[in-house]
Amino acid sequence: MRAQPFTMEHWGLSLPDVDATPETAHGPLDEQEQRLLAEAHRAVENARTARWMLGYSLEVVRRRRLYRGDGTRTWEQYLVVEHDGLSTSEADRLQKSWRLAQTVQKELGRPLPDSHLRKLLAYAERTDDQEAARAYTELYWAHQQAGVRLVAQQVQQRVKVAVAAAKGVADPAERSQAVSAAWTTTPEAAMPAQRNEPKGDQTITSERSPDPVDAALRLLDAARQAVENAAEDRAARLVRSGEEARRQQADIRRIGRILSKVKVEADADIGDAEVVDAELIES
């Protein structure tokens, strides 16, 4: 017999008879409102916790072969019947990631979003769950203190930089050290600066918008890294013809020639900046 599902009776939230308005709800939250908000947040955290607990339960069922039912049911049939057609690949991912999610929750004091967990897995695979949890927790609170929201793309970028540092390192201990060091020491992995709030009647001045050329250069650098990684793919190299390789090499050189003609300009009244030719060094 299955346990009874979680119901609204177990929860401390209730919908109001009349919606609050700017006239009836203003100023800081009172004690009751703070309690209700905490209950709402608890529901979100429960959902995230339940996600990795699903992975834990799936692993128990699979490893103990509890899915067999009358003795004939397969693992795939169990997922279809009991988990609404959950794919075996998603079930495998949940089983591989629940330990990391649990470790992060213990370290952070709250569950991390599933999108963050997906990006963090590569870091944990090259170090361990505890190191990945420590690194993520440090990153999370740095963003909180700076008043900046941490998003999955930022986690992915930091993981990419850290993992790249371990390329070609065979020893597991040395690889883990290289990844951990790159997480905090490379320029791309710099922690966000704490945001300074204006005080009193201090005038708020608009900050300079990020230079779109820098943003484009970051994309180009990411593309360069992707091309280099693809070029080193041994499996692809074994089936690639010489003609295909020459065509790809020609395309790379053509892109390089196009980029070498790009000019970055600056207005004279901003400073003494001059027009500079962007260069691409072909190897």
Side-chain angles (χ1 to χ4, degrees):
M1 179 179 294
R2 293 195 178 199
Q4 292 299 311
F6 184 85
T7 64
M8 296 292 288
E9 285 71 23
H10 299 90
W11 201 14
L13 278 181
S14 60
L15 289 172
D17 295 329
V18 180
D19 288 356
T21 66
E23 291 73 28
T24 61
H26 53 83
L29 299 179
D30 59 30
E31 186 175 344
Q32 181 186 17
E33 289 173 325
Q34 290 178 3
R35 180 184 62 79
L36 290 173
L37 181 61
E39 281 292 307
H41 290 171
R42 186 168 71 91
V44 175
E45 293 183 358
N46 283 343
R48 290 174 177 170
T49 300
R51 186 69 174 165
W52 68 255
M53 290 183 70
L54 171 60
Y56 173 81
S57 65
L58 287 170
E59 184 168 344
V60 171
V61 171
R62 181 183 58 80
R63 293 178 61 181
R64 292 182 178 274
R65 302 182 69 85
L66 303 178
Y67 56 80
R68 68 187 188 278
D70 62 358
T72 63
R73 189 166 63 177
T74 65
W75 170 243
E76 291 77 9
Q77 291 171 336
Y78 166 78
L79 294 177
V80 169
V81 174
E82 303 291 349
H83 292 281
D84 299 321
L86 182 70
S87 67
T88 54
S89 59
E90 178 64 9
D92 289 344
R93 189 190 71 81
L94 289 168
Q95 292 170 77
K96 291 177 181 178
S97 62
W98 75 261
R99 289 179 177 83
L100 174 59
Q102 182 192 53
T103 306
V104 172
Q105 184 164 340
K106 289 180 179 179
E107 183 79 17
L108 185 63
R110 65 186 67 186
L112 78 168
D114 193 54
S115 59
H116 291 200
L117 176 63
R118 289 174 181 265
K119 307 304 182 186
L120 195 61
L121 276 172
Y123 187 94
E125 289 171 354
R126 288 162 178 79
T127 54
D128 55 55
D129 291 343
Q130 193 61 52
E131 166 58 23
R134 182 206 62 76
Y136 178 84
T137 298
E138 181 184 54
L139 178 66
Y140 176 88
W141 288 119
H143 278 73
Q144 287 291 305
Q145 293 171 4
V148 180
R149 178 171 172 264
L150 177 62
V151 298
Q153 185 178 4
Q154 292 170 313
V155 178
Q156 180 183 32
Q157 180 61 29
R158 293 176 63 86
V159 169
K160 179 181 177 181
V161 171
V163 168
K167 187 176 180 180
V169 182
D171 182 74
E174 293 181 2
R175 182 168 60 244
S176 177
Q177 292 175 358
V179 172
S180 300
W183 178 267
T184 54
T185 59
T186 57
E188 294 87 347
M191 292 294 183
Q194 187 164 354
R195 183 173 60 187
N196 295 321
E197 300 292 344
K199 299 179 180 179
D201 57 354
Q202 182 178 346
T203 303
I204 301 177
T205 58
S206 60
E207 297 182 357
R208 180 182 174 184
S209 300
D211 194 317
V213 173
D214 287 330
L217 288 173
R218 285 192 292 270
L219 289 174
L220 281 172
D221 187 59
R224 175 195 58 78
Q225 184 64 57
V227 171
E228 289 180 355
N229 292 341
E232 295 175 2
D233 190 312
R234 180 176 177 81
R237 185 174 62 190
L238 291 174
V239 299
R240 182 184 298 122
S241 68
E243 182 180 353
E244 289 173 330
R246 286 189 291 274
R247 174 184 56 79
Q248 292 168 348
Q249 193 69 57
D251 286 343
I252 291 173
R253 291 186 178 128
R254 178 177 57 81
I255 293 172
R257 288 193 295 271
I258 293 173
L259 290 175
S260 67
K261 298 177 182 178
V262 174
K263 292 185 181 297
V264 180
E265 300 181 353
D267 288 341
D269 59 351
I270 293 179
D272 296 328
E274 58 183 6
V275 176
V276 180
D277 285 340
E279 297 181 357
L280 179 68
I281 300 176
E282 296 182 8
S283 56

